[in-house]
Amino acid sequence: MKERFDVSGMTCSACQANVQKAVEKLGVDSVNVNLINESMVVDYNPSEITNDDIINAVDNIGYHASLKKNKTKNENKEDLREAEEMSTKTRLKISFAFLIPLMYLAMGPMIGLPIPSLFIGSNGAVNYAFVQFLLALPVIFVNRKFFVSGFKGLINRAPNMDTLVALGSSAATLFGIFAIMRMSHAQGLGDLDTINHYRHNIYFETSATILTLITLGKYFEARSKGETKSSLKNLMELAPQTANVIRDNKEVTLDISEINVGDIIVVRPGETVAVDGIVVEGKSIVDQSSITGESIPVSKEVGDEVISATINKHGSFKFKASKVGEDTTISQIINLVNEANDTKAPIAMMADKVAAVFVPVVIAISILTFVLWSIFTKDYEFALNLMIAVLVISCPCALGLATPMAIMVSTGKSAELGLLFKSAESLENLYKTDAILLDKTGTITAGKPIVTDIYTNMDEKDFISIAASLEESSEHPLSNAITEYADENNIPITESQKFESITGKGIKAKLNGDIYFAGNINLIRDNNIDIYNFEGKSNEYSSDGKTCMYFANENQVIGLIAVQDQAKEDSKLAINELKSLGYKVIMITGDNEKTAESIRRNLNIDEKYAEVLPQDKEKVVRKLQDEGKNVTMVGDGINDAPALARADIGIAIGSGTDVAIDSADIVLIKDSLLDIVKSIKLSQMTIKIIKENLFWAFFYNIILIPLAAGILYPSTGLTLNPMFAAFAMSMSSVFVCLNSLRLRKFKDDYANSKNTNINNMEENMSELNKMIVKVEGMSCENCAKHVTEALEKLAGIESVNVNLKDKEAVVDYFGSVEEKEIEAAITEAGYEYKGIEYK
């Protein structure tokens, strides 16, 4: 059983490691803690472990966990995050308000700035120190959360970043208090040397500066996290809150939570589609870019599917809701993105292992630094200064942010482009692919065969009538192509009897008292039917990449029909792009060898596997893996599911079956193979950014911890001031955040590929046209109102202006409006339609 939890109080990768370790001790199957989302996904046996056990384990080490509830709670959580950001901003303002005069007082005399006389010299030394203490106190107080969290973690043996900050700041503050006490005592004794010594070694400004700069870094980090989540937040805001629904023959406005499957929903120009459904009336152009990433709007007519959160550009239509609530496309996308963010990429494991021991090691290094320098120099203030610098410079924020920040930006960006990664692991591993195995039907091709050639010695229409009559009872796509061809050409179809499907070969049926066969060459040979000269023509069609079907009676073949499933417009471009990136492209199909070879050759595919039975696709994947290849399988059908699951990475075409989508690691919402190219390029860029982040985080700590510990002091006299250490630590986190945000600039290189037909359609739909509708029977303003309402309900009509005197209605409309629809609307309203004049 998997359960999601919200976790608060985490500030760094050490916190993340502490929470993970605490929950793992319970004996759960797996646990993934996400620092950015402040969430945790736990897989456990509910008969052995309860939610309360998990929550208590987290609470016991100084953090707080709660079961993730519904969407409302998520929204509340976002409000809490915004409140936290505002709180950080307020703390930052207060900190700077007191830090500036503190720094002026502490550092002013060093650069010749004037200060009041009561702070000058030995006589003013205690005043000088005490006022600094008073100015530092508000900074310490408003940033007390560092001390609460840090010492709580230390007490619970789960130290974190706040522990390092708290220890460093506390050490500086306590030494400052110690300095005041020493100066006060020395002043009573007249010991000017002691007074002057401690007057120049007061560390209140160090303590206040550390806290202020860490808070500044936290504020920048929070802002960057907000930018990181903006893609997901934008997705969540896409769906409208209300919709116009037909209830009891009336149009009412309802909250989307009240919409039921089967409701009829009205969408007008400029409105957003509330839920998924099927158009039942009207036509329009819909902008689907927010969901599918398509830059070109798509035409929608009766029978077409509309997707939630897409925008209706022109025209009005009605659709029947088919998916509502959590089942809508936009809700499923958000869930997939959240699930991907809750997982860990393999590359993050190394950072997690380091973070688990990082803080204790740093504390040990800082103590060792203090002890060694105290022994060697006998200067405890100098040793303390270095110890504080080590504690502050080592905060592992950058390490903890390196991977999750990049993953979150990438998954949000991929969702904008219509590419859905189900896990961080699939995002990382995709670019490692060696071989890309493409299913042919529905993936490389459109999945809808059409009749291309007919060859027969009898009358062609009679032959097609027999063929379509035989195929009408079959649900095979090739059969549908023949029956559709007959319908388009008005060729009659007769119902057959004794229909029998012969697996892998074809069909047999009785028609007008005679037995007929329809299928491949094996069916014909099995029944000892004379082929005559048809085999040569069949081979010719197969060489052209067409699937040829034999039609025969009990004695001889009567004709051939060649059918071809056309490749999608961008398939060849996508295949060439994949090859240019260095990937081996392989096609898998059930077509015969000749047909498969023709398709392979025409599309420039490297290899093919032909005549593969549906149940054997998984075996092909396994064979390639046994050869040492890292295989990505792309498919869309139910029979692709085992192969998708077996492959190293499974990619499902979004229009495919639910089973295929469930079995895949990546889902492409569109049907374009170019999205595979985009997915790989995004995967490559994401891993590059993560590696840069990790390099910076490790490099920063490897270089600066020894420097802070004073390794260069004996040879160069160089040390790292704790204030500069705090600034450097804060900036390291900001660097990682900003570097991750570069992923938001990932570009869709194929967004500008144009579809002329759709563009022309959009231009036609976007042009406002005018016509005059003649109407008899109107006598008053009430009549004019009825006619106006009747016409405005029609899809595409923008405005109606009725002229009672001339018995006409001036109509502005987009695209085209059917005259019969106008006539029906006016007649239904109780008036007489008299024709149209176009302007």
Side-chain angles (χ1 to χ4, degrees), residues 433-465:
T433 293
D434 297 319
I436 298 177
L437 188 62
L438 303 174
D439 176 54
K440 190 206 80 172
T441 306
T443 302
I444 295 175
T445 62
K448 187 177 180 182
I450 59 172
V451 173
T452 57
D453 299 274
I454 298 167
Y455 185 72
T456 181
N457 293 329
M458 61 187 293
D459 180 79
E460 187 173 293
K461 285 192 175 182
D462 292 340
F463 169 62
I464 291 295
S465 179

PDB file of all heavy atoms in Angstrom, residues 433-465:
ATOM      1  N   THR A 433      19.000   5.319 -23.682  1.00  0.00           N
ATOM      2  CA  THR A 433      18.505   4.316 -24.629  1.00  0.00           C
ATOM      3  C   THR A 433      19.511   4.022 -25.745  1.00  0.00           C
ATOM      4  O   THR A 433      20.177   4.926 -26.237  1.00  0.00           O
ATOM      5  CB  THR A 433      17.186   4.820 -25.254  1.00  0.00           C
ATOM      6  OG1 THR A 433      16.183   4.856 -24.239  1.00  0.00           O
ATOM      7  CG2 THR A 433      16.710   3.907 -26.365  1.00  0.00           C
ATOM      8  N   ASP A 434      19.608   2.729 -26.126  1.00  0.00           N
ATOM      9  CA  ASP A 434      20.414   2.336 -27.277  1.00  0.00           C
ATOM     10  C   ASP A 434      19.538   2.137 -28.510  1.00  0.00           C
ATOM     11  O   ASP A 434      19.873   2.561 -29.602  1.00  0.00           O
ATOM     12  CB  ASP A 434      21.144   1.008 -27.004  1.00  0.00           C
ATOM     13  CG  ASP A 434      22.126   1.134 -25.863  1.00  0.00           C
ATOM     14  OD1 ASP A 434      22.810   2.165 -25.787  1.00  0.00           O
ATOM     15  OD2 ASP A 434      22.187   0.202 -25.058  1.00  0.00           O
ATOM     16  N   ALA A 435      18.408   1.435 -28.301  1.00  0.00           N
ATOM     17  CA  ALA A 435      17.529   1.068 -29.413  1.00  0.00           C
ATOM     18  C   ALA A 435      16.106   1.517 -29.117  1.00  0.00           C
ATOM     19  O   ALA A 435      15.620   1.365 -28.004  1.00  0.00           O
ATOM     20  CB  ALA A 435      17.561  -0.443 -29.632  1.00  0.00           C
ATOM     21  N   ILE A 436      15.465   2.089 -30.128  1.00  0.00           N
ATOM     22  CA  ILE A 436      14.069   2.527 -29.993  1.00  0.00           C
ATOM     23  C   ILE A 436      13.215   1.619 -30.874  1.00  0.00           C
ATOM     24  O   ILE A 436      13.349   1.616 -32.104  1.00  0.00           O
ATOM     25  CB  ILE A 436      13.908   4.005 -30.385  1.00  0.00           C
ATOM     26  CG1 ILE A 436      14.741   4.871 -29.442  1.00  0.00           C
ATOM     27  CG2 ILE A 436      12.440   4.416 -30.347  1.00  0.00           C
ATOM     28  CD1 ILE A 436      14.730   6.340 -29.773  1.00  0.00           C
ATOM     29  N   LEU A 437      12.356   0.849 -30.234  1.00  0.00           N
ATOM     30  CA  LEU A 437      11.511  -0.126 -30.925  1.00  0.00           C
ATOM     31  C   LEU A 437      10.123   0.476 -31.112  1.00  0.00           C
ATOM     32  O   LEU A 437       9.432   0.769 -30.135  1.00  0.00           O
ATOM     33  CB  LEU A 437      11.436  -1.413 -30.091  1.00  0.00           C
ATOM     34  CG  LEU A 437      10.752  -2.626 -30.713  1.00  0.00           C
ATOM     35  CD1 LEU A 437      11.479  -3.086 -31.962  1.00  0.00           C
ATOM     36  CD2 LEU A 437      10.684  -3.760 -29.702  1.00  0.00           C
ATOM     37  N   LEU A 438       9.741   0.662 -32.373  1.00  0.00           N
ATOM     38  CA  LEU A 438       8.473   1.316 -32.695  1.00  0.00           C
ATOM     39  C   LEU A 438       7.459   0.312 -33.228  1.00  0.00           C
ATOM     40  O   LEU A 438       7.721  -0.379 -34.215  1.00  0.00           O
ATOM     41  CB  LEU A 438       8.683   2.405 -33.748  1.00  0.00           C
ATOM     42  CG  LEU A 438       9.696   3.522 -33.438  1.00  0.00           C
ATOM     43  CD1 LEU A 438       9.860   4.422 -34.656  1.00  0.00           C
ATOM     44  CD2 LEU A 438       9.246   4.328 -32.240  1.00  0.00           C
ATOM     45  N   ASP A 439       6.310   0.228 -32.562  1.00  0.00           N
ATOM     46  CA  ASP A 439       5.206  -0.539 -33.124  1.00  0.00           C
ATOM     47  C   ASP A 439       4.712   0.198 -34.367  1.00  0.00           C
ATOM     48  O   ASP A 439       4.711   1.423 -34.395  1.00  0.00           O
ATOM     49  CB  ASP A 439       4.091  -0.656 -32.085  1.00  0.00           C
ATOM     50  CG  ASP A 439       2.868  -1.354 -32.652  1.00  0.00           C
ATOM     51  OD1 ASP A 439       3.009  -2.467 -33.177  1.00  0.00           O
ATOM     52  OD2 ASP A 439       1.771  -0.756 -32.576  1.00  0.00           O
ATOM     53  N   LYS A 440       4.317  -0.532 -35.398  1.00  0.00           N
ATOM     54  CA  LYS A 440       3.940   0.145 -36.638  1.00  0.00           C
ATOM     55  C   LYS A 440       2.546   0.770 -36.561  1.00  0.00           C
ATOM     56  O   LYS A 440       2.385   1.982 -36.630  1.00  0.00           O
ATOM     57  CB  LYS A 440       4.002  -0.832 -37.823  1.00  0.00           C
ATOM     58  CG  LYS A 440       3.866  -0.139 -39.184  1.00  0.00           C
ATOM     59  CD  LYS A 440       3.306  -1.045 -40.258  1.00  0.00           C
ATOM     60  CE  LYS A 440       1.790  -1.144 -40.134  1.00  0.00           C
ATOM     61  NZ  LYS A 440       1.156  -1.862 -41.238  1.00  0.00           N
ATOM     62  N   THR A 441       1.534  -0.077 -36.372  1.00  0.00           N
ATOM     63  CA  THR A 441       0.156   0.382 -36.485  1.00  0.00           C
ATOM     64  C   THR A 441      -0.226   1.291 -35.318  1.00  0.00           C
ATOM     65  O   THR A 441      -0.142   0.903 -34.160  1.00  0.00           O
ATOM     66  CB  THR A 441      -0.814  -0.818 -36.544  1.00  0.00           C
ATOM     67  OG1 THR A 441      -0.403  -1.678 -37.602  1.00  0.00           O
ATOM     68  CG2 THR A 441      -2.235  -0.346 -36.774  1.00  0.00           C
ATOM     69  N   GLY A 442      -0.639   2.512 -35.646  1.00  0.00           N
ATOM     70  CA  GLY A 442      -1.072   3.464 -34.623  1.00  0.00           C
ATOM     71  C   GLY A 442       0.062   4.249 -33.997  1.00  0.00           C
ATOM     72  O   GLY A 442      -0.175   5.212 -33.290  1.00  0.00           O
ATOM     73  N   THR A 443       1.298   3.817 -34.289  1.00  0.00           N
ATOM     74  CA  THR A 443       2.456   4.524 -33.741  1.00  0.00           C
ATOM     75  C   THR A 443       3.218   5.208 -34.864  1.00  0.00           C
ATOM     76  O   THR A 443       3.299   6.432 -34.917  1.00  0.00           O
ATOM     77  CB  THR A 443       3.378   3.546 -32.986  1.00  0.00           C
ATOM     78  OG1 THR A 443       2.630   2.908 -31.949  1.00  0.00           O
ATOM     79  CG2 THR A 443       4.554   4.279 -32.370  1.00  0.00           C
ATOM     80  N   ILE A 444       3.759   4.398 -35.795  1.00  0.00           N
ATOM     81  CA  ILE A 444       4.391   4.981 -36.985  1.00  0.00           C
ATOM     82  C   ILE A 444       3.314   5.430 -37.967  1.00  0.00           C
ATOM     83  O   ILE A 444       3.408   6.487 -38.574  1.00  0.00           O
ATOM     84  CB  ILE A 444       5.319   3.950 -37.663  1.00  0.00           C
ATOM     85  CG1 ILE A 444       6.483   3.594 -36.735  1.00  0.00           C
ATOM     86  CG2 ILE A 444       5.847   4.496 -38.991  1.00  0.00           C
ATOM     87  CD1 ILE A 444       7.385   2.499 -37.280  1.00  0.00           C
ATOM     88  N   THR A 445       2.276   4.613 -38.080  1.00  0.00           N
ATOM     89  CA  THR A 445       1.190   4.919 -39.017  1.00  0.00           C
ATOM     90  C   THR A 445      -0.024   5.448 -38.255  1.00  0.00           C
ATOM     91  O   THR A 445      -0.077   5.418 -37.031  1.00  0.00           O
ATOM     92  CB  THR A 445       0.790   3.660 -39.803  1.00  0.00           C
ATOM     93  OG1 THR A 445       0.296   2.676 -38.880  1.00  0.00           O
ATOM     94  CG2 THR A 445       1.989   3.087 -40.540  1.00  0.00           C
ATOM     95  N   ALA A 446      -1.002   5.921 -39.024  1.00  0.00           N
ATOM     96  CA  ALA A 446      -2.197   6.524 -38.416  1.00  0.00           C
ATOM     97  C   ALA A 446      -3.099   5.479 -37.779  1.00  0.00           C
ATOM     98  O   ALA A 446      -3.967   5.818 -36.980  1.00  0.00           O
ATOM     99  CB  ALA A 446      -2.974   7.309 -39.475  1.00  0.00           C
ATOM    100  N   GLY A 447      -2.909   4.211 -38.148  1.00  0.00           N
ATOM    101  CA  GLY A 447      -3.728   3.156 -37.559  1.00  0.00           C
ATOM    102  C   GLY A 447      -5.079   3.002 -38.232  1.00  0.00           C
ATOM    103  O   GLY A 447      -5.950   2.286 -37.748  1.00  0.00           O
ATOM    104  N   LYS A 448      -5.252   3.673 -39.388  1.00  0.00           N
ATOM    105  CA  LYS A 448      -6.509   3.558 -40.120  1.00  0.00           C
ATOM    106  C   LYS A 448      -6.205   3.283 -41.592  1.00  0.00           C
ATOM    107  O   LYS A 448      -5.975   4.192 -42.380  1.00  0.00           O
ATOM    108  CB  LYS A 448      -7.340   4.833 -39.988  1.00  0.00           C
ATOM    109  CG  LYS A 448      -8.729   4.674 -40.589  1.00  0.00           C
ATOM    110  CD  LYS A 448      -9.561   5.918 -40.392  1.00  0.00           C
ATOM    111  CE  LYS A 448     -10.948   5.700 -41.003  1.00  0.00           C
ATOM    112  NZ  LYS A 448     -11.799   6.888 -40.888  1.00  0.00           N
ATOM    113  N   PRO A 449      -6.194   1.991 -41.976  1.00  0.00           N
ATOM    114  CA  PRO A 449      -5.869   1.634 -43.361  1.00  0.00           C
ATOM    115  C   PRO A 449      -6.926   2.141 -44.340  1.00  0.00           C
ATOM    116  O   PRO A 449      -8.103   2.285 -43.984  1.00  0.00           O
ATOM    117  CB  PRO A 449      -5.845   0.104 -43.340  1.00  0.00           C
ATOM    118  CG  PRO A 449      -5.812  -0.283 -41.898  1.00  0.00           C
ATOM    119  CD  PRO A 449      -6.469   0.824 -41.151  1.00  0.00           C
ATOM    120  N   ILE A 450      -6.488   2.417 -45.555  1.00  0.00           N
ATOM    121  CA  ILE A 450      -7.425   2.807 -46.612  1.00  0.00           C
ATOM    122  C   ILE A 450      -7.169   1.938 -47.843  1.00  0.00           C
ATOM    123  O   ILE A 450      -6.065   1.441 -48.061  1.00  0.00           O
ATOM    124  CB  ILE A 450      -7.273   4.299 -46.993  1.00  0.00           C
ATOM    125  CG1 ILE A 450      -5.839   4.583 -47.470  1.00  0.00           C
ATOM    126  CG2 ILE A 450      -7.632   5.198 -45.825  1.00  0.00           C
ATOM    127  CD1 ILE A 450      -5.656   5.969 -48.042  1.00  0.00           C
ATOM    128  N   VAL A 451      -8.201   1.764 -48.656  1.00  0.00           N
ATOM    129  CA  VAL A 451      -8.081   0.975 -49.886  1.00  0.00           C
ATOM    130  C   VAL A 451      -7.288   1.782 -50.909  1.00  0.00           C
ATOM    131  O   VAL A 451      -7.609   2.940 -51.193  1.00  0.00           O
ATOM    132  CB  VAL A 451      -9.463   0.620 -50.445  1.00  0.00           C
ATOM    133  CG1 VAL A 451      -9.328  -0.045 -51.818  1.00  0.00           C
ATOM    134  CG2 VAL A 451     -10.208  -0.294 -49.484  1.00  0.00           C
ATOM    135  N   THR A 452      -6.232   1.161 -51.456  1.00  0.00           N
ATOM    136  CA  THR A 452      -5.389   1.856 -52.438  1.00  0.00           C
ATOM    137  C   THR A 452      -5.499   1.250 -53.840  1.00  0.00           C
ATOM    138  O   THR A 452      -5.380   1.971 -54.831  1.00  0.00           O
ATOM    139  CB  THR A 452      -3.912   1.818 -51.995  1.00  0.00           C
ATOM    140  OG1 THR A 452      -3.507   0.451 -51.830  1.00  0.00           O
ATOM    141  CG2 THR A 452      -3.716   2.572 -50.688  1.00  0.00           C
ATOM    142  N   ASP A 453      -5.720  -0.062 -53.922  1.00  0.00           N
ATOM    143  CA  ASP A 453      -5.757  -0.721 -55.241  1.00  0.00           C
ATOM    144  C   ASP A 453      -6.794  -1.843 -55.244  1.00  0.00           C
ATOM    145  O   ASP A 453      -6.998  -2.519 -54.223  1.00  0.00           O
ATOM    146  CB  ASP A 453      -4.394  -1.318 -55.583  1.00  0.00           C
ATOM    147  CG  ASP A 453      -3.295  -0.267 -55.652  1.00  0.00           C
ATOM    148  OD1 ASP A 453      -3.136   0.330 -56.723  1.00  0.00           O
ATOM    149  OD2 ASP A 453      -2.619  -0.049 -54.620  1.00  0.00           O
ATOM    150  N   ILE A 454      -7.414  -2.027 -56.427  1.00  0.00           N
ATOM    151  CA  ILE A 454      -8.371  -3.119 -56.617  1.00  0.00           C
ATOM    152  C   ILE A 454      -8.004  -3.833 -57.928  1.00  0.00           C
ATOM    153  O   ILE A 454      -7.784  -3.177 -58.952  1.00  0.00           O
ATOM    154  CB  ILE A 454      -9.814  -2.585 -56.701  1.00  0.00           C
ATOM    155  CG1 ILE A 454     -10.193  -1.883 -55.390  1.00  0.00           C
ATOM    156  CG2 ILE A 454     -10.799  -3.718 -57.014  1.00  0.00           C
ATOM    157  CD1 ILE A 454     -11.453  -1.060 -55.479  1.00  0.00           C
ATOM    158  N   TYR A 455      -7.924  -5.149 -57.868  1.00  0.00           N
ATOM    159  CA  TYR A 455      -7.552  -5.915 -59.061  1.00  0.00           C
ATOM    160  C   TYR A 455      -8.494  -7.111 -59.182  1.00  0.00           C
ATOM    161  O   TYR A 455      -8.533  -7.975 -58.314  1.00  0.00           O
ATOM    162  CB  TYR A 455      -6.102  -6.382 -58.959  1.00  0.00           C
ATOM    163  CG  TYR A 455      -5.594  -7.086 -60.185  1.00  0.00           C
ATOM    164  CD1 TYR A 455      -5.323  -6.380 -61.349  1.00  0.00           C
ATOM    165  CD2 TYR A 455      -5.379  -8.469 -60.164  1.00  0.00           C
ATOM    166  CE1 TYR A 455      -4.838  -7.036 -62.472  1.00  0.00           C
ATOM    167  CE2 TYR A 455      -4.896  -9.131 -61.282  1.00  0.00           C
ATOM    168  CZ  TYR A 455      -4.632  -8.415 -62.433  1.00  0.00           C
ATOM    169  OH  TYR A 455      -4.156  -9.063 -63.551  1.00  0.00           O
ATOM    170  N   THR A 456      -9.268  -7.155 -60.275  1.00  0.00           N
ATOM    171  CA  THR A 456     -10.233  -8.246 -60.463  1.00  0.00           C
ATOM    172  C   THR A 456     -10.557  -8.404 -61.940  1.00  0.00           C
ATOM    173  O   THR A 456     -10.403  -7.459 -62.730  1.00  0.00           O
ATOM    174  CB  THR A 456     -11.518  -7.960 -59.667  1.00  0.00           C
ATOM    175  OG1 THR A 456     -12.434  -9.048 -59.837  1.00  0.00           O
ATOM    176  CG2 THR A 456     -12.180  -6.665 -60.098  1.00  0.00           C
ATOM    177  N   ASN A 457     -11.026  -9.605 -62.308  1.00  0.00           N
ATOM    178  CA  ASN A 457     -11.425  -9.862 -63.692  1.00  0.00           C
ATOM    179  C   ASN A 457     -12.924  -9.667 -63.893  1.00  0.00           C
ATOM    180  O   ASN A 457     -13.420  -9.712 -65.017  1.00  0.00           O
ATOM    181  CB  ASN A 457     -11.043 -11.286 -64.099  1.00  0.00           C
ATOM    182  CG  ASN A 457      -9.532 -11.459 -64.163  1.00  0.00           C
ATOM    183  OD1 ASN A 457      -8.813 -10.513 -64.473  1.00  0.00           O
ATOM    184  ND2 ASN A 457      -9.048 -12.667 -63.866  1.00  0.00           N
ATOM    185  N   MET A 458     -13.654  -9.455 -62.797  1.00  0.00           N
ATOM    186  CA  MET A 458     -15.097  -9.249 -62.901  1.00  0.00           C
ATOM    187  C   MET A 458     -15.422  -7.757 -62.778  1.00  0.00           C
ATOM    188  O   MET A 458     -14.521  -6.923 -62.630  1.00  0.00           O
ATOM    189  CB  MET A 458     -15.812 -10.066 -61.812  1.00  0.00           C
ATOM    190  CG  MET A 458     -15.432  -9.682 -60.388  1.00  0.00           C
ATOM    191  SD  MET A 458     -16.135 -10.813 -59.144  1.00  0.00           S
ATOM    192  CE  MET A 458     -17.890 -10.463 -59.324  1.00  0.00           C
ATOM    193  N   ASP A 459     -16.683  -7.408 -62.836  1.00  0.00           N
ATOM    194  CA  ASP A 459     -17.093  -6.012 -62.683  1.00  0.00           C
ATOM    195  C   ASP A 459     -16.634  -5.514 -61.296  1.00  0.00           C
ATOM    196  O   ASP A 459     -16.896  -6.173 -60.281  1.00  0.00           O
ATOM    197  CB  ASP A 459     -18.614  -5.894 -62.806  1.00  0.00           C
ATOM    198  CG  ASP A 459     -19.077  -4.460 -62.651  1.00  0.00           C
ATOM    199  OD1 ASP A 459     -18.965  -3.680 -63.605  1.00  0.00           O
ATOM    200  OD2 ASP A 459     -19.517  -4.127 -61.521  1.00  0.00           O
ATOM    201  N   GLU A 460     -15.968  -4.378 -61.298  1.00  0.00           N
ATOM    202  CA  GLU A 460     -15.343  -3.900 -60.053  1.00  0.00           C
ATOM    203  C   GLU A 460     -16.369  -3.653 -58.957  1.00  0.00           C
ATOM    204  O   GLU A 460     -16.152  -3.998 -57.789  1.00  0.00           O
ATOM    205  CB  GLU A 460     -14.529  -2.627 -60.323  1.00  0.00           C
ATOM    206  CG  GLU A 460     -13.714  -2.178 -59.110  1.00  0.00           C
ATOM    207  CD  GLU A 460     -12.789  -1.032 -59.422  1.00  0.00           C
ATOM    208  OE1 GLU A 460     -11.824  -1.217 -60.204  1.00  0.00           O
ATOM    209  OE2 GLU A 460     -13.031   0.072 -58.878  1.00  0.00           O
ATOM    210  N   LYS A 461     -17.508  -3.043 -59.284  1.00  0.00           N
ATOM    211  CA  LYS A 461     -18.524  -2.754 -58.268  1.00  0.00           C
ATOM    212  C   LYS A 461     -19.113  -4.036 -57.699  1.00  0.00           C
ATOM    213  O   LYS A 461     -19.354  -4.123 -56.485  1.00  0.00           O
ATOM    214  CB  LYS A 461     -19.631  -1.877 -58.855  1.00  0.00           C
ATOM    215  CG  LYS A 461     -19.218  -0.418 -59.032  1.00  0.00           C
ATOM    216  CD  LYS A 461     -20.424   0.468 -59.323  1.00  0.00           C
ATOM    217  CE  LYS A 461     -20.004   1.937 -59.362  1.00  0.00           C
ATOM    218  NZ  LYS A 461     -21.162   2.839 -59.604  1.00  0.00           N
ATOM    219  N   ASP A 462     -19.339  -5.023 -58.574  1.00  0.00           N
ATOM    220  CA  ASP A 462     -19.858  -6.309 -58.083  1.00  0.00           C
ATOM    221  C   ASP A 462     -18.838  -6.971 -57.153  1.00  0.00           C
ATOM    222  O   ASP A 462     -19.202  -7.559 -56.128  1.00  0.00           O
ATOM    223  CB  ASP A 462     -20.186  -7.237 -59.257  1.00  0.00           C
ATOM    224  CG  ASP A 462     -21.366  -6.742 -60.075  1.00  0.00           C
ATOM    225  OD1 ASP A 462     -22.142  -5.921 -59.518  1.00  0.00           O
ATOM    226  OD2 ASP A 462     -21.506  -7.153 -61.244  1.00  0.00           O
ATOM    227  N   PHE A 463     -17.551  -6.872 -57.550  1.00  0.00           N
ATOM    228  CA  PHE A 463     -16.498  -7.466 -56.725  1.00  0.00           C
ATOM    229  C   PHE A 463     -16.424  -6.787 -55.350  1.00  0.00           C
ATOM    230  O   PHE A 463     -16.342  -7.459 -54.314  1.00  0.00           O
ATOM    231  CB  PHE A 463     -15.158  -7.349 -57.457  1.00  0.00           C
ATOM    232  CG  PHE A 463     -13.977  -7.690 -56.589  1.00  0.00           C
ATOM    233  CD1 PHE A 463     -13.833  -8.961 -56.038  1.00  0.00           C
ATOM    234  CD2 PHE A 463     -12.998  -6.728 -56.313  1.00  0.00           C
ATOM    235  CE1 PHE A 463     -12.742  -9.274 -55.234  1.00  0.00           C
ATOM    236  CE2 PHE A 463     -11.917  -7.031 -55.514  1.00  0.00           C
ATOM    237  CZ  PHE A 463     -11.781  -8.303 -54.969  1.00  0.00           C
ATOM    238  N   ILE A 464     -16.470  -5.443 -55.339  1.00  0.00           N
ATOM    239  CA  ILE A 464     -16.413  -4.708 -54.068  1.00  0.00           C
ATOM    240  C   ILE A 464     -17.631  -5.035 -53.214  1.00  0.00           C
ATOM    241  O   ILE A 464     -17.543  -5.152 -51.978  1.00  0.00           O
ATOM    242  CB  ILE A 464     -16.330  -3.189 -54.325  1.00  0.00           C
ATOM    243  CG1 ILE A 464     -14.976  -2.837 -54.943  1.00  0.00           C
ATOM    244  CG2 ILE A 464     -16.518  -2.403 -53.027  1.00  0.00           C
ATOM    245  CD1 ILE A 464     -13.791  -3.098 -54.040  1.00  0.00           C
ATOM    246  N   SER A 465     -18.790  -5.212 -53.849  1.00  0.00           N
ATOM    247  CA  SER A 465     -20.003  -5.552 -53.107  1.00  0.00           C
ATOM    248  C   SER A 465     -19.834  -6.888 -52.392  1.00  0.00           C
ATOM    249  O   SER A 465     -20.202  -7.033 -51.221  1.00  0.00           O
ATOM    250  CB  SER A 465     -21.203  -5.615 -54.055  1.00  0.00           C
ATOM    251  OG  SER A 465     -22.373  -5.966 -53.344  1.00  0.00           O
TER     252      SER A 465
END
